[in-house]
Amino acid sequence: MLYFVEIDVKIPAEIDPSRLEDMKAREKIASSEYQRSGEWLHLWRIAGKFGNISIFDVSDHDRLHEILWSLPLFPFMTIRVLPLARHPAAIDRPPA
Amino acid sequence: MLYFVEIDVKIPAEIDPSRLEDMKAREKIASSEYQRSGEWLHLWRIAGKFGNISIFDVSDHDRLHEILWSLPLFPFMTIRVLPLARHPAAIDRPPA
Amino acid sequence: MLYFVEIDVKIPAEIDPSRLEDMKAREKIASSEYQRSGEWLHLWRIAGKFGNISIFDVSDHDRLHEILWSLPLFPFMTIRVLPLARHPAAIDRPPA
Amino acid sequence: MLYFVEIDVKIPAEIDPSRLEDMKAREKIASSEYQRSGEWLHLWRIAGKFGNISIFDVSDHDRLHEILWSLPLFPFMTIRVLPLARHPAAIDRPPA
Amino acid sequence: MLYFVEIDVKIPAEIDPSRLEDMKAREKIASSEYQRSGEWLHLWRIAGKFGNISIFDVSDHDRLHEILWSLPLFPFMTIRVLPLARHPAAIDRPPA
Amino acid sequence: MLYFVEIDVKIPAEIDPSRLEDMKAREKIASSEYQRSGEWLHLWRIAGKFGNISIFDVSDHDRLHEILWSLPLFPFMTIRVLPLARHPAAIDRPPA
Amino acid sequence: MLYFVEIDVKIPAEIDPSRLEDMKAREKIASSEYQRSGEWLHLWRIAGKFGNISIFDVSDHDRLHEILWSLPLFPFMTIRVLPLARHPAAIDRPPA
Amino acid sequence: MLYFVEIDVKIPAEIDPSRLEDMKAREKIASSEYQRSGEWLHLWRIAGKFGNISIFDVSDHDRLHEILWSLPLFPFMTIRVLPLARHPAAIDRPPA
Amino acid sequence: MLYFVEIDVKIPAEIDPSRLEDMKAREKIASSEYQRSGEWLHLWRIAGKFGNISIFDVSDHDRLHEILWSLPLFPFMTIRVLPLARHPAAIDRPPA
Amino acid sequence: MLYFVEIDVKIPAEIDPSRLEDMKAREKIASSEYQRSGEWLHLWRIAGKFGNISIFDVSDHDRLHEILWSLPLFPFMTIRVLPLARHPAAIDRPPA
C-alpha cells in the first residue's frame, strides 16, 4: 500500500557535530536499504529545506511506523503521513 | 524538472449539478492527456479527501502553471507546489 | 487495519431543509451498515460539534476512501485521517 | 464517561539517555495499569509519530487529569482532549 | 461537572432578517432557561465579538451536547469545549 | 471589570528541579492571596494540561497586568486575555 | 482605559451595492462621532487591507462592546481586542 | 520606497462570468499603467495559484494603499504587505 | 510615516539573570531616547504579555529597521510590522 | 528560472558569539558571490526582522537547493520557496 510521507528535520543547535555526522551517515545507509527493498519507493529533496517528500510502498501501518521509527534522525523529525488510494483519473500505467 | 503538487478541491454548495459533472468529466480527460504525455508523472488520491498528491515532470514553472491553470476544476482548488531536487541519499535508480 | 478518522461537518446556510433531512437520513443508514459490517468500528459524537471521532477497521486505503466518499454528507465534511499502528505499551487485550 | 485524548511527545534533545529510558519504562508500567483497570480503554500508536490516539473511560474530568498528570512523560507531552457523547447514528452495540 | 465553552457566531450574509430575529429571540429564551436550571452557570460576552465565554455545570458530556445542539443559532456556531478539573491552588471557596 | 485569562505553562526541560518546586510553591501562595482578595475570581484546571482557565475581577488593565506579571511562573506562561462584557441574555443573577 | 482594536472587513460578494454604500456612509458618520467624543482615539488604515488599527479610550469593556456592536459593518468584521496597560518604559508624555 | 506585496485572489463561485471578464480586463489595464509608471516594479505569477508576488516602489504607505484599493479585483484579494529595507549584504548594484 | 509594530518577547530559560537585567536596562534607555525624538510615537504594554503595541513615526523603512535592530532585546523578539495609511473616516485631528 | 525565497533566521540563544560573527561574515561573502553571478537576483531586508525576501534566477531546483544549503546560517533558517511564472499582465519589460 502507498503512503505519502513528508519529513521536516530540525537539528538542535547544541548537538555535538561528530554525533550528527554519524547519525547522518547511518540515516543514509538505512534509507538506501529501504529503497533497495522497494519499500521506500520515492525520495525527493524539498528544494530549500532539510526535508523530503517520500512515497512508501509497505504492507501496513505497523511496517511504515517500524521503518520511520528506526531512522537515526527520527527524534529531530516532524512527519506528516497521508494514506494514498488509487485516483479514479489515474491512467492504467501503475501509479508508482 | 520535478514538482510536488498537493491539490484540495472545495466544490461550492450552490453549484448546478450538471455543470459540475461536466467539469469533472473534462477534468478527467485533461489529466489523462497530461499523464500520457508524461508531464503528470504520478497522481494519487488522498484517502478521505476530494484531493490528490501529484508529481509533475515539466520543462519549467511556466509550463507547470499553464497545466494547472487549464484544469476545469482549478477555480475550486487550493494548490501547494514544492520544487523537488535530487535527494543525496536517493539510490541510483531514477527517482520516478 | 485501523484508521483514526475525525470528521467535522459544515452545512451550507442556503441548503434546502428537506434536502438536508434526506441526506441526514441516508447518512444514518449508510453508517449503520458500515458499523454492522464491523468496518466502522467506533463512532462517537464530539460534544458541542456537528462532528465525530471514528475508528475504521478496513482492508486498505482504497476501501477507506470508498466508504468515506460514499457518505451523503461527504461534500460538507472536513476529514482528518491518521493510520494507527499497534502501540508498544498496549496490553495483550485486542486494541478494539 | 468517554474522552478522546491525542498525545504528541517531544523529547528535549539534551536529555540524559538513561533518564529517558527510565521514564519510558515507568510510562509503560503506568499505562498498563490504567489499561488493566479499564480506564485507559484504547491506546493506538499514530504511524510515523512519537504520539498516540487514546480513548479513556473514567468517572470525571478530575480523574482524567489525575491520570494524565501522573504519566512520567507528561512534561514532554502536548495533549488534546475532547469529551465524547453518544452518536445518534451509533448502532446498539456499546460504542467502546 | 464543569465545562469551559467558547462560542463564536458567524451569521451568513444572505439570511432573511426576520428569520434571524426569530432565532435570536428563541436563543435568548433557551439560554435563560438553562441559566435558571443552573446548568449554564456563567455567560459572558467577549467584548468586540458576536461570541461568548461560558461555564456549564452539567451531569455529563451527553447532556452538554444536548444543550448546545438545541441552541437555535447552533448551525452558525464554532464551539470550543474544554473539560475543567479542580485546580490544586484553588482556595476552598467553591470555584463557581 | 471581568477578564477571561487562559494560561498555558511550558516548563523548560533543563530547569533545576528544586528551583521549579520553589517557583510552584510561591505561585500557589500568590494565587491564593489574589483569590482571597476576590481579584482572582475563578481558577479551574484544564483537564490534561499544565494550564488553567481563570476569570479576574480587577479595577483595570494595569492591575490585571501587575498581577499576571507578578506570578513566579510568568516567564514560562503563554497567556490569552479577553475582556468580558455583560451578555444581553445573562439572567439577573450577577454573572460571576 | 485604552484598548487596541484590529478590524478586518470581509464584504460578502453577493451584497447589493446600494445597501453597501449606505452601510459605508453610516459607518463613517458613526466613527466620526466616536472620534469627536474622544472614545475612538486613533484610527489608521492598514495599507493594502479593508481594515484598520484603532486605539479606543473608553470607560470599560461594556462600553467598548457597545460601540463596536453598533458599527453598521460589524456583521462583516473580524475583530481582535487587546487591553493596553501603561508600559514601564513609556516616558512621562501621556501615551496617547 | 520598496514594498513586498503578495496577493491571493479568490473569485466567488456565483459571480456572473461576463462581470468577471470585465473586471479582469480592467485589472490588466490598471496594472500595466502602474508598471509603466515604475510604481509596480515587479509582477510575477505564483505557479499554481491565482495570485502574484509583486514589488512596489512608491512614495509612501498612502500611495501603496491607493493603488491596491483601486484594483478592480481588490474585493476578492487577500493581501500581505511587508516594508523592504536595504539588506546589509546587498551588493552595490541597485536592488531592483 | 506611521508604522504599527507589535512586539512579543520570549526570554530563553537558560539566560544569565544579570545579563538579562543589563539588556532590560539598556532597552529602557534606548526606547526612551527614540520616544523623546518622536520616532517612537506610542508605546503600550499588552496586558498579560511580555510584549507591546507601538506606533512609530519615521522617515522610511530603513530607519524603522535600524531602530528595531538596535534594541538590545531584538534577538528575543517576534515582530509584526504593518504600514499605516490615513483612514478615509479619520477626522481632521492629526491621526497621532 | 525565477524562484521567490523568503528566509527567516532564528539564532539559538546559547550560541558562542564569536562563532556567530564568523558565520555572519561567511554568509555575507557567500551571498555577494551569488549576487555577482546573477543567480541571487534580488535581496531585500524585511523591516523589523532577521530575515529577507529574495528572488533567485537559477538553472533548476537542484541549483537553488545547492545555493541555499551552502549558506552558513542555513541551519538557523526557515525558508519558503515559490516557483515564479511570467504574469499575463506583466508588461514587455523583462520581469526582473
Side-chain angles (χ1 to χ4, degrees):
Chain A
M1 290 197 312
L2 297 183
Y3 295 82
F4 164 79
V5 174
E6 181 173 351
I7 297 181
D8 194 55
V9 180
K10 195 85 191 127
I11 304 291
E14 70 279 8
I15 196 167
D16 163 21
S18 61
R19 182 181 162 226
L20 179 58
E21 283 320 303
D22 167 60
M23 292 174 87
K24 283 184 178 177
R26 286 187 294 114
E27 181 88 8
K28 195 165 185 177
I29 294 164
S31 98
S32 305
E33 282 160 21
Y34 292 127
Q35 292 180 67
R36 262 187 289 280
S37 77
E39 291 187 293
W40 199 326
L41 195 58
H42 299 296
L43 168 60
W44 296 289
R45 172 65 86 211
I46 302 172
K49 285 200 190 279
F50 192 160
N52 68 62
I53 296 283
S54 292
I55 305 294
F56 283 81
D57 187 359
V58 291
S59 53
D60 57 28
H61 307 336
D62 287 276
R63 176 57 182 160
L64 177 70
H65 183 71
E66 192 185 355
I67 292 174
L68 295 173
W69 188 271
S70 76
L71 296 177
L73 293 176
F74 179 83
F76 309 142
M77 290 179 176
T78 302
I79 298 180
R80 180 180 173 228
V81 173
L82 295 174
L84 297 179
R86 185 176 169 76
H87 195 287
I91 60 174
D92 53 26
R93 176 186 48 144
Chain B
M1 290 196 315
L2 297 183
Y3 296 82
F4 163 78
V5 174
E6 182 173 352
I7 297 180
D8 195 53
V9 180
K10 195 82 191 131
I11 303 290
E14 70 280 7
I15 195 168
D16 162 21
S18 59
R19 181 181 163 226
L20 178 59
E21 284 320 303
D22 168 60
M23 292 173 88
K24 282 185 179 177
R26 286 187 295 114
E27 180 89 8
K28 195 164 185 177
I29 295 164
S31 98
S32 305
E33 280 159 23
Y34 292 127
Q35 290 180 70
R36 262 187 287 279
S37 77
E39 291 187 293
W40 199 324
L41 194 58
H42 299 297
L43 168 59
W44 298 290
R45 173 65 83 212
I46 301 172
K49 286 202 189 280
F50 191 159
N52 68 63
I53 295 284
S54 291
I55 306 293
F56 283 81
D57 187 359
V58 292
S59 53
D60 57 29
H61 306 336
D62 287 277
R63 178 56 182 159
L64 177 69
H65 183 70
E66 193 186 355
I67 293 174
L68 296 173
W69 189 271
S70 76
L71 296 177
L73 293 176
F74 179 82
F76 309 143
M77 290 178 176
T78 302
I79 299 180
R80 179 179 173 228
V81 172
L82 296 174
L84 298 179
R86 185 175 168 76
H87 194 287
I91 59 173
D92 51 29
R93 181 190 49 160
Chain C
M1 289 197 314
L2 297 183
Y3 295 83
F4 164 78
V5 174
E6 182 173 352
I7 298 180
D8 195 54
V9 179
K10 195 79 192 136
I11 304 290
E14 71 280 7
I15 196 169
D16 163 21
S18 61
R19 182 181 162 226
L20 178 57
E21 284 320 303
D22 168 61
M23 293 173 88
K24 282 185 177 177
R26 286 188 294 114
E27 180 88 7
K28 196 164 184 177
I29 295 164
S31 98
S32 305
E33 280 159 23
Y34 292 126
Q35 290 180 71
R36 262 187 289 280
S37 78
E39 291 187 290
W40 200 324
L41 195 57
H42 298 298
L43 168 59
W44 298 291
R45 172 66 84 210
I46 302 172
K49 285 201 190 280
F50 191 160
N52 67 63
I53 296 284
S54 291
I55 304 294
F56 283 80
D57 187 359
V58 290
S59 53
D60 57 28
H61 307 336
D62 288 276
R63 177 57 183 159
L64 176 70
H65 184 70
E66 192 186 356
I67 291 175
L68 296 173
W69 188 272
S70 76
L71 295 177
L73 293 176
F74 179 82
F76 309 142
M77 289 179 177
T78 301
I79 298 180
R80 180 181 172 227
V81 173
L82 294 175
L84 298 179
R86 185 176 168 75
H87 195 285
I91 61 174
D92 52 28
R93 180 191 50 162
Chain D
M1 289 197 313
L2 297 183
Y3 295 83
F4 164 79
V5 174
E6 181 173 353
I7 298 180
D8 195 55
V9 180
K10 195 83 191 131
I11 303 291
E14 70 280 8
I15 196 168
D16 162 21
S18 60
R19 182 180 161 226
L20 178 58
E21 283 321 303
D22 168 60
M23 292 174 88
K24 283 185 178 176
R26 285 188 293 113
E27 181 88 8
K28 196 165 185 177
I29 294 164
S31 98
S32 305
E33 281 160 20
Y34 291 126
Q35 291 180 68
R36 263 188 288 280
S37 77
E39 291 187 292
W40 200 324
L41 196 58
H42 299 297
L43 168 59
W44 298 289
R45 171 66 84 212
I46 302 172
K49 286 202 190 280
F50 191 160
N52 69 63
I53 296 284
S54 291
I55 306 293
F56 282 81
D57 187 358
V58 291
S59 53
D60 57 28
H61 306 336
D62 287 277
R63 178 57 183 159
L64 177 70
H65 183 71
E66 191 185 354
I67 292 175
L68 295 173
W69 188 271
S70 76
L71 296 177
L73 293 175
F74 179 82
F76 309 142
M77 290 179 176
T78 301
I79 298 180
R80 181 181 173 226
V81 172
L82 295 174
L84 297 179
R86 185 175 168 77
H87 195 287
I91 60 174
D92 52 24
R93 181 188 47 157
Chain E
M1 289 198 313
L2 297 184
Y3 295 82
F4 163 78
V5 174
E6 181 173 353
I7 297 179
D8 194 54
V9 179
K10 197 82 192 130
I11 304 291
E14 69 280 5
I15 195 167
D16 163 22
S18 60
R19 183 182 162 226
L20 179 57
E21 284 319 303
D22 168 60
M23 292 173 89
K24 283 184 179 177
R26 286 187 294 114
E27 180 88 8
K28 196 165 184 178
I29 293 164
S31 98
S32 305
E33 281 160 22
Y34 292 126
Q35 290 181 70
R36 262 187 290 280
S37 77
E39 291 187 293
W40 199 324
L41 195 58
H42 298 297
L43 168 60
W44 298 290
R45 171 65 85 212
I46 303 173
K49 286 202 190 278
F50 192 160
N52 67 62
I53 296 283
S54 291
I55 305 294
F56 283 80
D57 187 358
V58 291
S59 53
D60 57 28
H61 308 337
D62 287 276
R63 177 56 183 158
L64 177 70
H65 184 70
E66 192 185 357
I67 292 175
L68 295 172
W69 189 271
S70 76
L71 296 177
L73 293 176
F74 179 83
F76 308 142
M77 290 179 176
T78 302
I79 298 179
R80 180 181 173 225
V81 173
L82 295 175
L84 298 179
R86 186 176 168 75
H87 194 286
I91 60 175
D92 54 24
R93 180 190 50 165
Chain F
M1 290 196 315
L2 297 183
Y3 296 83
F4 163 79
V5 174
E6 182 173 353
I7 297 180
D8 195 54
V9 180
K10 195 80 192 136
I11 303 290
E14 70 281 6
I15 195 167
D16 163 19
S18 60
R19 182 181 162 227
L20 178 59
E21 284 319 306
D22 168 60
M23 292 173 88
K24 283 184 178 177
R26 286 188 293 115
E27 180 89 8
K28 195 163 184 178
I29 295 164
S31 97
S32 305
E33 280 159 22
Y34 292 126
Q35 291 180 69
R36 264 188 287 279
S37 77
E39 292 186 291
W40 199 324
L41 195 58
H42 299 296
L43 168 59
W44 298 290
R45 172 65 86 212
I46 302 172
K49 286 203 189 277
F50 191 160
N52 69 63
I53 296 283
S54 291
I55 304 294
F56 283 79
D57 187 359
V58 291
S59 52
D60 56 29
H61 306 338
D62 287 278
R63 178 57 183 158
L64 177 70
H65 183 71
E66 193 186 353
I67 292 174
L68 295 173
W69 189 270
S70 77
L71 296 176
L73 292 176
F74 179 82
F76 309 142
M77 290 180 177
T78 302
I79 299 179
R80 179 180 173 226
V81 173
L82 295 174
L84 298 179
R86 185 175 168 77
H87 194 287
I91 60 173
D92 52 25
R93 184 189 44 161
Chain G
M1 290 196 312
L2 298 182
Y3 297 82
F4 163 79
V5 174
E6 181 173 353
I7 297 179
D8 195 54
V9 179
K10 196 80 192 133
I11 303 291
E14 70 280 6
I15 196 167
D16 163 20
S18 60
R19 181 180 162 227
L20 179 58
E21 284 320 303
D22 167 62
M23 291 173 89
K24 283 184 179 177
R26 285 188 294 115
E27 180 87 9
K28 195 164 185 178
I29 294 164
S31 98
S32 305
E33 281 159 23
Y34 292 126
Q35 290 180 69
R36 262 188 288 281
S37 77
E39 291 186 294
W40 201 323
L41 195 58
H42 299 297
L43 168 60
W44 297 291
R45 172 66 85 212
I46 302 172
K49 285 201 188 282
F50 192 160
N52 69 61
I53 296 284
S54 291
I55 305 294
F56 282 80
D57 187 357
V58 291
S59 53
D60 56 28
H61 307 337
D62 287 276
R63 177 58 182 158
L64 177 70
H65 184 71
E66 192 186 355
I67 292 174
L68 295 172
W69 189 270
S70 77
L71 296 176
L73 293 175
F74 179 83
F76 309 142
M77 289 179 177
T78 302
I79 298 179
R80 180 180 173 229
V81 173
L82 296 174
L84 298 179
R86 186 176 169 73
H87 194 287
I91 60 174
D92 53 26
R93 181 192 50 170
Chain H
M1 290 196 313
L2 297 182
Y3 297 82
F4 163 79
V5 173
E6 182 173 352
I7 297 179
D8 195 55
V9 179
K10 196 79 193 136
I11 303 291
E14 71 280 7
I15 196 168
D16 163 21
S18 59
R19 181 181 162 227
L20 179 58
E21 284 319 303
D22 167 60
M23 292 173 89
K24 283 186 179 176
R26 285 188 294 115
E27 180 88 8
K28 194 163 185 178
I29 295 164
S31 98
S32 305
E33 282 159 20
Y34 292 126
Q35 290 180 69
R36 263 187 288 280
S37 78
E39 291 186 293
W40 200 325
L41 193 59
H42 299 297
L43 168 59
W44 298 291
R45 172 65 85 212
I46 302 172
K49 286 203 189 277
F50 192 160
N52 69 63
I53 297 283
S54 291
I55 306 294
F56 282 81
D57 187 358
V58 292
S59 53
D60 57 28
H61 306 337
D62 287 276
R63 177 57 181 157
L64 176 70
H65 184 70
E66 193 186 352
I67 292 174
L68 296 172
W69 188 270
S70 76
L71 296 176
L73 294 176
F74 179 82
F76 308 142
M77 290 179 176
T78 302
I79 298 180
R80 179 179 173 229
V81 172
L82 295 174
L84 298 179
R86 186 176 169 75
H87 194 287
I91 59 174
D92 52 26
R93 183 190 46 162
Chain I
M1 290 197 313
L2 299 182
Y3 296 83
F4 164 79
V5 173
E6 182 173 353
I7 297 179
D8 195 54
V9 179
K10 195 79 192 135
I11 303 291
E14 69 280 7
I15 196 168
D16 162 20
S18 59
R19 183 180 162 227
L20 178 58
E21 284 320 304
D22 168 61
M23 291 173 89
K24 284 185 178 176
R26 286 188 293 116
E27 180 88 9
K28 194 163 184 178
I29 295 164
S31 97
S32 305
E33 281 159 21
Y34 292 126
Q35 291 180 68
R36 262 188 289 280
S37 77
E39 291 186 293
W40 199 326
L41 194 59
H42 299 296
L43 168 59
W44 298 291
R45 172 65 85 211
I46 302 172
K49 286 202 189 277
F50 191 160
N52 69 62
I53 296 282
S54 291
I55 305 293
F56 283 80
D57 187 0
V58 291
S59 53
D60 57 29
H61 307 337
D62 288 275
R63 178 56 183 159
L64 176 70
H65 184 70
E66 192 186 354
I67 291 174
L68 295 172
W69 189 271
S70 77
L71 296 177
L73 293 175
F74 179 82
F76 309 142
M77 291 178 177
T78 302
I79 299 179
R80 180 180 173 228
V81 173
L82 295 174
L84 298 179
R86 187 177 167 75
H87 195 287
I91 60 174
D92 52 25
R93 184 190 48 171
Chain J
M1 290 197 312
L2 298 182
Y3 296 83
F4 164 79
V5 174
E6 181 173 353
I7 297 179
D8 196 54
V9 179
K10 195 80 191 134
I11 303 291
E14 71 279 6
I15 195 167
D16 163 20
S18 60
R19 182 181 162 226
L20 179 58
E21 284 320 303
D22 167 62
M23 291 174 88
K24 283 185 179 177
R26 285 188 293 115
E27 180 88 10
K28 195 164 186 178
I29 295 164
S31 97
S32 305
E33 282 160 19
Y34 291 127
Q35 291 180 69
R36 262 187 288 281
S37 77
E39 291 186 294
W40 199 325
L41 194 59
H42 298 297
L43 169 59
W44 297 291
R45 172 66 84 211
I46 303 171
K49 285 201 189 281
F50 193 159
N52 68 63
I53 296 283
S54 292
I55 305 294
F56 283 80
D57 187 358
V58 291
S59 53
D60 57 28
H61 308 335
D62 288 277
R63 177 58 182 157
L64 177 71
H65 184 70
E66 191 185 355
I67 292 174
L68 295 172
W69 189 270
S70 75
L71 296 177
L73 294 175
F74 179 82
F76 309 141
M77 290 179 177
T78 302
I79 299 179
R80 179 179 173 228
V81 173
L82 296 174
L84 298 179
R86 186 176 168 74
H87 194 286
I91 60 174
D92 52 28
R93 180 189 49 164

